[in-house]
Amino acid sequence: MAAAVSGKLPDVYRLQELAKEDLKRCLNANGFQDKDLVLDPDLMKPLDRITGGASFLKENGVDKIFKLDRNDRQTKLVGRDKRVYLVKPKINIMKIIADHISSEKSRGEKRQYRIVMVPRKLFLCEMILEQEGVMGSCDLDQVDLDLVPLDVDILSMETPEFFKSYFLNNDSTMLQTVSNSILRIQQLMGEIPNVYCLGKTGKMCYELLKLIQGESTIIPDYPRSEIGHLFLVDRGIDFVTPLCSQVVYEGLLDDMFGIQCGCVEFGPEITQKDQPVKIRLHSEDQMYEGIRNQHFTNVFELLKSKAQDLQSVSDKRKNFTKVSDMKDFVANDLRSLNKSKANLSYHIGACEQIIKKKNKGDFQEFMQTEHSLLEGTGLKENMNYIEDSINKQNNMTSNLKLLCLASLVNDGIPVKEYKTFKTQFAQSHGFEQIVTFHNLKKIGLLREQEGPSHSMPAGMAALTRNSSFKNLRKKINLIPSVETDLRRPCDMSYVFSGAYSPLSCKLIEQVLQKEGFQGMDEIKKYLPSELHCHVRLKTPGPKTNQPGRAAKVVLVYFIGGCTYSEIAALRFLGKQTGYKFIIATTSIFNTNTFLESVMEKPQV
Amino acid sequence: MASATWLPLGHVYYEKIELYSLDWGDQIDLSKFFVAAAPYGGPVALMRDDSNNPNVNVKPTIHCYTSAGKHISSLRWNSGRLKKMGWSHTEDLLCVQDDGVVLVYDLFLNFKRQFGMGQEAKDTKVMDVRIFSSYKGTGIAVLTCSYRIFIINSIDDLRIRKLAEVPGLNSAPTAWGIITMDGQSQALVAKQNEMYLVDHGGQYQQQNIELSSPSEAIMDMAISFNNKYLALFTESGIVWIGSADLKKKYCEFNTKSHQRPTQFMWSGPGAVVALWDKLMLVIGPDKDYISYPLYISIVHLVEEEDGVRIIGRENVEFFRKVPCSTYVCTRILPGSSVCTCVLTGSYVCTHILTGSYVCTRILPGSYVCTCILPGSYVCTRILPGSYVCTRILPGSYVCTCILTGSYVCTCILPGSYVCTCILTGFYVCTRILTGSYVCTRILPGSYVCTRILPGFYVCTRILTGFYVCTRILTGSYVCTRILTGSYVCTRILTGSYVCTRILTGSYVCTRILTGSYVCTRILTGSYVCTRILTGSYVCTRILTGSYVCTRILTGSYVCTRILTGSYVCTRILTGSYVCTRILTGSYVCTRILPGSYVCTRILTGSYVCTRILTGSYVCTRILTGSYVCTRILTGSYVCTRILTGSYVCTRILTGSYVCTCILTGSYVCTRILTGSYVCTCILPGSYVCTRILTGSYVCTCILTGSYVCTRILTGSYVCTCILPGSYVCTRILTGSYVCTRILPGSYVCTRILTGSYVCTRILTGSYVCTRKLTGSYVCTRILTAVTEQIFKIASMEPGAMLYEASREFEKKSQKADDYIRMIKDSLDQAVSQCIQAAGHEIEPSKQRALLKAASFGKCFLTDYNPEPFFNMCQMLRILNQVRMPSIGIPLTYSQLEHLTMRVLIDRLVSRKYFYLAIRICQYLKLPEAEGASRILGHWASYTVMQRKEDDDYVANIIREKMGDTPGVSYSDIASKALECGREELAIRLLDYEPKAAKQVPLLLQMNKKQIALNKAIDSGDTDLIYMVLLRLKDTKNQGEFFMTIRNIPEAISLYLQFCRQQNPDLIEQLYYQEDNFQELGSCQVMKSFKQERLDERLKVLADAKENFTRARNEFAAKQVEDEMKLLRCQRRLEEESRKPYMDLSLHQTIRQLIVDNNNKLAEQLRKDFKVPDKRYWWLRIDALAEAGDWMELEKFSKAKKPPLGMDAFFDACLKYGNKREAIKYITRVTGEKKVQCWIKLGDLRSAAESAFENKSEDQLIQVLRKCSPTDRAIEEQIGSYRQQLTTGRR
């Protein structure tokens, strides 16, 4: 479209409008004018993002809003005689709802119920409701609310549970949701001519998409498509990247404070206020836009210069000679100025917190270990460091992260070390962690080396052999040979301080360069996920015809989640190559949330 | 000549046509049979009448024949005593027994279902039955032996209603019948000479009949097909004819027969037929009659909408009025511009006869056709090239239709008039009367100019790209209008519009600037003048308590619309709101009355949101370039959802769409996809959903009392159906058609000539109809009068002349030219007449002759639209085909129009004439999904029911015929096969079904779980997999179930996921079954934490250990064993120290022991669990530092062979904030680490010194990096050290 020509991204907020409309329909459906709403806590943030607040619900006849309490099944909800539940389709939630309904029924309360599942109604849930004997008393519906636009180039499904349920438990239910969301994007922005599937899951989603598409009747009209390329990236193809410590500002914010649904919450140590302050992080905030993708070392300086700018604006008033100037200033600039000031102070506060953390303990050594693991140097030292770290009972997730990294870059950890690590880990963090180890093994994040290495006299010797990662490192140049200027980076490795370029993004770069998988057989061989398919439909690219309008717009869909560092790397890649990237993902995570989702926590 | 057989009845003629000859011979003597024949040429059911035969043991047989007497099927009657047989509108045979049970059979006498008429009817026994056509379909009424009437309005909706009791009825009513009026079925019951109308609401009304001898008992009654007319037969043989509401009497006719006629019914709306043994008497409403003596007695009459079908012994005949023969057609000589009757100072000439039609021809090439009832008249003025058609009821309306892209619609008040003049390519439709409306609709780029007689005028001017559009319903109206001496002149600039209204002596002056609009309202002698500035909107006058009110005084005219005693009022009361949202350049105009509407107008880029009456609301949302126009009645709401780049409601612009219409308590919910349109209207309980694709048409479905669906696109059709008392207003774009369907008691629109449109408006209780409607009293069908016009002896109609000309031409006579010359100015009319006459003709040779004449006439016309001719040829071909004796459906053209082509196709399908039906669909080029493939679906369903063919064969022929045709559902056919018990066939057919979601449930139903599971897994749809899994789980025992899914990883994963949330114990069982001891052990490890008592916990752990051992995971087994040991130890510690130890890790336990100064035990644990030295040292250092036991720490640091460097001690001290202690250890730290320690301590000077001692420039640089601007001295120091190092090295 015109937008693409003029270098702008297709408007992803249309998805939001669509979801909003569907929600509106659902809320106002037959006979449900005035009602209460019971909300799944998981949906609160996405819903907030989509609707822009509770006033939307009020406008659509919602009276009271309750939060669905997953633990307390006995809650009594008092309210109107019509109630809408807006929930994710999960068994335990259905049971809670069934409890509500049947206890209210037994108390003789008459009420109409409507259960709206997001993003789709599952037969399984219907069955649970039926088993619980409340199916007859409620209407079921669904709202197509999957991808939430967090920014002009980020769409997130905000389902962190995806990783566990698919990669660990092999439950493919949510793949369908992924395919549906792509379908919806295509309905809005036209069919995407080029599709590349990196990894098995990507292929599965694509097959599913074709299946669903077969039922609908869109006729592809590629010249009108707004997006030229679609990458379906299986998280399983690159577990290394999410295990790397983030150093771009946005990634650090996520690591330190946790970004949820595009918002970060700063506590009193930063804001000097009693209540935590919630800040939306998005590209319309120009100051933030300037620093979000920067390596952390630059951020302070940028903030400083911004502070000076603000000061100069604010100094302007000293020079006012006329009352009208002052009036003008108060009327126009003052508010935004104050707002910018507050914003700036928060970010400065956040930076201080980050620096404080970096100066604590053996952070430097930790980073060094991480980088040398990636580079494949100093293996012995690294192993020792890890063991010490476990013995010292440092943070469990950090320990686990180093272990996983060591396993991934070396095709597993030598049997002897593996056993030692496991024993030590259990002694430090509790014996139940043997189950965590088992989980990680199932996913492929952490395992012992197989094969002939057993017979090798020393486990260390095994580490010297060529692992897949080592080969990849060489083949696609994951470790830059020259040092990157972190201030003016010329390579996407800057997102990890120049130590490593994210594998996922590098692969995308390769494919875009080669317009397909040609010549990538060597690389394919070493990729951890077993399948790669690629589909090439009519190219609107420069070779066949005039460059299509959409040729330069790329949608990258991370199935299983991605990190802010990867987003930053893709944005950088976009700047370098002229492609426009839109990132879609099942969720945005960081190392901690990524690992914690599959760790075992005993429930006492 | 055809007219030779015509018999006159007053002004009109009737004819009897033979349809088929019967070869029943002596086998069937109708007098000995119950006869039940379906209308619309439907089948005939016969059953021997044994009521007089004492020997009732013989089981009677029911025979079913086509109209042409072809035997279809027979059935030995096995059930109870049959009271009555009849046919439903879907041609199912209804057999009503004396206990009220109704058995339903299809055409082939296959039993379909049965239902009862309620317990009371069963108990009291049924005495008499009426099967009638209700507004919902086919209804049944039974009269019980206790003289109560039970009624169901539709056999598809079995709600039994008990009608009110007739007071004092203690013997059987002398006559009774069911009448459908105002959407309700009521019974008319005659108790001797009294008549009662009873309804199911418990009401009865005694009816007054204007009868010359009021004491006579009423013996029989006949209600006309359209429920409009009633005929009564009294005991002395008097036939009374009147309106159905008994308010109007047309005549009384004395038959002098005391005997009741065997059959008594209407023949179309124009005559009553009474049949006796030897006589058939036809009586007209004007007391005229025809009597037909019967030479062969016993015939059976079947009432049709346009006549009577007569089933005799040897033939089947059709008796009907010669189409429109009563009407007088005046032919005007070419060149004359005015016709028959002229009103003072005005125009058109019309001829008025009581209750009759007038058809006039006016200017060359144009027509006026008016129909007038007493006391009313029409004045129309027409410009060359246009076409006007008007119809007027007393004090009512006009609807006009115009050719060549223009229209006029006029209506006039007595003594005054409105005259509209039309410019080429534009049209106007105006109408003013007290209590009446104006309706104007304009397409983009058109102008409207209304011209008014001297002294008055309205002039609306619109600039390019805009239009005025007003839509009127009862109680609502429109814009411009003027009284004597005053005027309004409204001008609209880009994007704005005006709505004004004025009373006598007043004026309005509106000024409008770009982007604004004005709405004014005036009382007598007063005025409002509003001024609007750029970008502002609505300026109204508001009184305190705020209201705006447009009110009109008696005798004045309204522009904004008036109904007697009503007014328009936009007002705001406290507590009620008008809520308007305006976007740039948009307007809102809301007017609301209880029970009235909102009319909104929209200009490009604007939208409207209208206001809300109590209990109802409108919610509209609009995107750029879209429009919404909504109308709302109380209690209803509209919800529109619009996608980008779409649409509209109510108002049509090029490429956009309309959707609207709401009745009380109903909703419309529309969703519009790009490029497609939807328009739906729904009444309670019924939904209509129409979806339309580009270039397609609309199909309406009519449910109980509900309807309306209008949608128009270029080249498309609309089909509307209307509720009594309601109306439809359809708007049309270029080149489209409107086609309407009529339900009893409701009316409609029009049939349209090529390229022209109709706009119909209907007021309460009255109807407009441009298409012939049998039996309705007001009805103008312009060209149907043709049969008579052409064949009437000495007819001077152009059609007749053309027919003659054509015949002469055949004979190669030059007279042909003379005839053509005579009619050359009305040749197109002549052609149309011939085409229409052909349609009404039953004899193919005559059809051909007439069509030939039309074709001949067409040759002389340069721009004649061939479509009517083409369509008529198509229709006739189909009609002739189905009339063939082998098919035996003798439909007339009018009947087909009423029945619709779709229903005809359905009827062919139900008679299993699949091939013919498909050919008709193809011939008519119907879309596959609705035409051919729908029929194929029926065919396939029928085919699978043929048990004699084997599965393979059937599956193959179905696949072969249907292929992948769109709209065919294999799963539907498969479920049909399943119904017939052909499971194998169903499975084969399901294989062709592309959608797994349709296959799987059916496979499950067939208990083909394994196949279902495979299909579900192939589809990748987890929901389907779950569906199968849970079904499997329910039907199999656990072991079998696990066996079934064990080789399917997807299934296992999903089932595990389900168990995790639903029943964790099951997971263990599954793992056990699978011998997956590793997972089993893991489960138990996690489970152990949930055990509250230690012994239970240990027991679970022991299990886990055993399982890990089985899984050959000795490592894990050892870990578990250690844990058990640790737990026991922790328990002991807790008991001894009364401090919590449980659930700490080993590391934490030892550490806690050291902190608690229990070093001995700590040592013990260290040994027992083989804790590595390094760990122990880390741990001990940290614990001692935490405990602040610096003495012990120092002692520890001096122990033999520490595995750690002194920096560990240093770090520990620093961590717990003891810098002094920390410094102690620095001296013992060696090498580079010492520098680090100093840095950590913040003593950069000492750090620099250490670095210098180490002779390391790198370390010096490290220290330098840590320096801040205040450390100038240290920096210098470092500088000098570096210097020294460099020189030293040299």
Side-chain angles (χ1 to χ4, degrees), chain B residues 38 93 132 145 196 220 257 263 279 324 327 371 461 564 582 620 629 766-767 823 911 1012 1085 1100 1226 1270:
Chain B
L93 183 65
F132 60 97
C145 297
Y196 295 90
D220 207 344
S257 160
Q263 278 184 288
L279 177 75
C324 287
Y327 310 113
C371 154
R461 233 181 102 224
T564 318
I582 303 159
T620 36
C629 179
S766 39
Y767 316 97
I823 56 166
R911 282 165 171 78
V1085 166
V1100 174
I1226 289 195
T1270 53

Side-chain angles (χ1 to χ4, degrees), chain B residues 488-502:
Chain B
V488 172
C489 181
T490 30
R491 268 176 77 222
I492 304 158
L493 295 179
T494 316
S496 19
Y497 73 93
V498 174
C499 175
T500 35
R501 156 178 150 1
I502 305 152

Side-chain angles (χ1 to χ4, degrees), chain A residues 309-318 329 337 341:
Chain A
D309 289 354
L310 284 180
Q311 194 55 48
S312 71
V313 174
S314 140
D315 285 347
K316 222 167 59 180
R317 66 185 125 174
K318 289 182 189 147
F329 176 79
L337 192 68
K341 269 187 172 171

Side-chain angles (χ1 to χ4, degrees), chain A residues 161-281:
Chain A
E161 67 269 27
F162 181 95
F163 184 71
K164 182 176 183 180
S165 76
Y166 178 70
F167 286 92
L168 180 60
N169 294 333
N170 205 13
D171 175 356
S172 55
T173 305
M174 273 190 272
L175 296 188
Q176 187 117 5
T177 312
V178 171
S179 303
N180 279 336
S181 68
I182 300 170
L183 183 69
R184 197 155 14 259
I185 290 175
Q186 294 201 357
Q187 279 165 346
L188 264 184
M189 312 192 183
E191 183 139 329
I192 305 172
N194 296 321
V195 181
Y196 315 97
C197 308
L198 306 181
K200 176 180 158 201
T201 318
K203 189 175 177 189
M204 281 165 75
C205 284
Y206 184 61
E207 309 264 288
L208 261 177
L209 176 66
K210 283 196 286 188
L211 216 69
I212 313 169
Q213 232 166 13
E215 291 168 19
S216 77
T217 50
I218 4 170
I219 301 140
D221 180 7
Y222 297 125
R224 297 189 61 175
S225 295
E226 294 175 49
I227 299 174
H229 309 265
L230 168 65
F231 281 87
L232 292 166
V233 184
D234 183 346
R235 184 73 268 173
I237 209 156
D238 174 19
F239 281 141
V240 174
T241 307
L243 291 172
C244 297
S245 303
Q246 309 200 68
V247 285
V248 287
Y249 183 60
E250 198 162 27
L252 272 169
L253 279 186
D254 191 24
D255 276 353
M256 282 284 288
F257 306 99
I259 299 177
Q260 279 188 314
C261 223
C263 289
V264 69
E265 247 183 44
F266 288 137
E269 72 279 6
I270 289 174
T271 59
Q272 271 85 44
K273 286 182 186 159
D274 299 339
Q275 294 289 319
V277 175
K278 202 168 170 185
I279 295 185
R280 222 193 119 194
L281 304 171

Side-chain angles (χ1 to χ4, degrees), chain B residues 1134-1148:
Chain B
E1134 279 191 354
E1135 280 163 5
E1136 285 165 9
S1137 65
R1138 306 203 172 277
K1139 279 189 175 176
Y1141 276 95
M1142 295 297 274
D1143 288 325
L1144 293 181
S1145 70
L1146 177 66
H1147 183 101
Q1148 289 160 329

Side-chain angles (χ1 to χ4, degrees), chain B residues 945-963:
Chain B
M945 287 190 281
Q946 304 308 300
R947 281 157 199 284
K948 54 183 191 288
E949 306 289 358
D950 75 74
D951 292 349
D952 276 354
Y953 175 75
V954 173
N956 284 338
I957 57 166
I958 287 176
R959 177 65 184 173
E960 203 175 287
K961 283 239 163 40
M962 309 208 346

